[in-house]
Amino acid sequence: MLCNLSSSSSSSSSSSSLWKDFFRYMGNISSKTKKNPKDDPFFTKGDSYIERSQGQHDLIRALWNSNFSAPVHEILKVGDGNVLDLCCGSGTWVCDNSSDFRHSRFWGIDVLQHYPTQKPLNVEFIKADVLQGIPFDTFFDFVHLRYVGLWFTEDQIKQIILPECLRVLRPGGWLEICDVDYRFYNAKKTVTELEQILHKQMHSRNLNPLLTNNLKKILTDMGSFENIQEEVKMLPMGNKQSKLGDIGGKLVFGTLLKINVDLRAIREKQAAKTLEQAIQESNLNNTYIKSRRIFAQKIIKQE
């Protein structure tokens, strides 16, 4: 496992450079997170979370060349559209879209207050625990979620999250879920071990690493959505595959390794070398992850 990722206690100059690049981009989580990292293994607190959230947003937007796939552009362009970003995190998705669609209104909800206090006029943020219910009645034309598989169990998604999204959507409104498969395709030794680390963390919290494979069926089984569609894009993990792969590899592998540095499951020098090994393996084997968008329209019931 971790102790087998590197047999050397030193790292090459190239791996040190990769690790320093990652630390400059992500920030030093250890110095910014006061609580025990075991209490916050996915780093949902502190400035480092905001930086990671911004990086994820930019990466996924570049991969898809858009912020969403649901056919709501015209509604939002015309104006008077109401949009909810559930579990909005740092509010990056909300603020980015609010500038593209200035005549529509955007709300972001999260249990943690990472969203900005200074915001566009057509944006509102609300601190709320969505597991206790969304604090709106039927109101929204578009409800958006990202990375639900990393924060909620499959039962919570089926029994609370999706029924609440359905409740607050207007008839004919659209729901979109953007997430990734929490597994690496064409993975070899080092990357496979990193995947095992992630799955161990997720399983310890009853999270399903492959939940995204089930989302289309879950929406279908609800019986309240139609026009259910799924789109998939491949995000490379190697810096020789594309610029996106360079950024994606550092962000994904680097985050997993930094988690385990702070959990003291791996030493920083070992992590530096492992990051280089993971990217080299990805280059050789064309390693990638799948990014998915599942979107569906609330059925308009005939009276």
Side-chain angles (χ1 to χ4, degrees):
M1 296 300 292
L2 279 172
C3 60
N4 295 324
L5 288 173
S6 173
S7 59
S8 172
S9 61
S10 62
S11 58
S12 66
S13 58
S14 59
S15 62
S16 295
S17 176
L18 278 174
W19 196 241
K20 288 177 182 177
D21 286 347
F22 174 72
F23 268 75
R24 279 196 295 269
Y25 182 67
M26 294 289 289
N28 190 327
I29 294 174
S30 296
S31 66
K32 294 179 180 179
T33 304
K34 294 182 179 179
K35 292 191 176 183
N36 187 329
K38 291 183 180 179
D39 297 332
D40 186 27
F42 298 121
F43 300 106
T44 60
K45 305 175 178 68
D47 294 340
S48 57
Y49 167 77
I50 296 174
E51 294 169 11
R52 177 166 63 86
S53 180
Q54 176 69 58
Q56 288 174 341
H57 173 77
D58 291 344
L59 182 66
I60 295 301
R61 181 183 58 190
L63 174 66
W64 287 89
N65 196 31
S66 67
N67 279 320
F68 55 85
S69 293
V72 296
H73 293 80
E74 290 304 315
I75 296 172
L76 302 186
K77 281 183 179 179
V78 171
D80 203 31
N82 295 312
V83 180
L84 174 64
D85 187 27
L86 204 61
C87 305
C88 66
S90 63
T92 305
W93 186 91
V94 169
C95 292
D96 196 6
N97 281 286
S98 71
S99 63
D100 291 336
F101 304 101
R102 297 181 184 274
H103 300 295
S104 288
R105 294 169 292 177
F106 293 81
W107 282 261
I109 293 179
D110 205 297
V111 69
L112 298 173
Q113 196 169 338
H114 288 308
Y115 42 80
T117 54
Q118 293 184 331
K119 52 185 175 52
L121 294 176
N122 59 338
V123 168
E124 293 292 340
F125 291 109
I126 299 172
K127 183 177 180 181
D129 182 358
V130 297
L131 292 177
Q132 302 301 316
I134 299 173
F136 285 90
D137 294 321
T138 302
F139 181 69
F140 293 101
D141 302 291
F142 183 33
V143 175
H144 175 263
L145 304 89
R146 280 203 292 199
Y147 311 123
V148 291
L150 202 57
W151 311 121
F152 301 111
T153 67
E154 189 162 345
D155 284 344
Q156 288 172 331
I157 290 169
K158 288 179 178 179
Q159 298 171 14
I160 303 174
I161 302 300
L162 293 180
E164 278 293 286
C165 290
L166 177 67
R167 181 182 64 81
V168 300
L169 269 174
R170 290 173 173 169
W174 287 84
L175 169 71
E176 177 166 312
I177 304 170
C178 179
D179 212 328
V180 298
D181 293 357
Y182 295 97
R183 63 165 296 187
F184 299 100
Y185 296 86
N186 296 339
K188 298 300 180 182
K189 181 178 182 296
T190 303
V191 177
T192 297
E193 291 183 358
L194 288 175
E195 180 182 287
Q196 291 170 349
I197 292 168
L198 174 62
H199 287 189
K200 183 178 179 180
Q201 289 282 356
M202 295 184 73
H203 286 144
S204 71
R205 286 159 177 78
N206 296 318
L207 302 175
N208 179 3
L210 301 180
L211 172 68
T212 53
N213 294 329
N214 304 333
L215 286 174
K216 187 175 181 180
K217 182 178 185 302
I218 292 171
L219 288 174
T220 301
D221 290 346
M222 289 178 69
S224 298
F225 289 100
E226 60 184 352
N227 299 320
I228 302 171
Q229 300 174 57
E230 180 177 30
E231 297 178 351
V232 181
K233 285 189 179 289
M234 314 305 178
L235 175 61
M237 291 286 101
N239 56 14
K240 290 185 179 178
Q241 298 183 55
S242 68
K243 182 63 176 176
L244 278 178
D246 182 23
I247 298 171
K250 289 178 183 178
L251 184 62
V252 174
F253 295 142
T255 299
L256 290 175
L257 287 163
K258 189 64 176 70
I259 287 172
N260 286 276
V261 167
D262 278 23
L263 291 175
R264 299 185 179 180
I266 184 174
R267 293 183 178 181
E268 191 171 307
K269 288 185 178 180
Q270 185 182 354
K273 189 169 183 62
T274 302
L275 177 61
E276 181 190 23
Q277 290 172 340
I279 290 177
Q280 286 178 345
E281 280 186 11
S282 297
N283 285 332
L284 290 172
N285 298 288
N286 295 320
T287 304
Y288 63 92
I289 62 175
K290 290 182 180 179
S291 175
R292 297 178 187 265
R293 285 179 174 176
I294 302 98
F295 50 101
Q297 187 175 28
K298 182 176 178 177
I299 292 175
I300 302 174
K301 294 183 179 180
Q302 300 295 328
E303 298 296 336

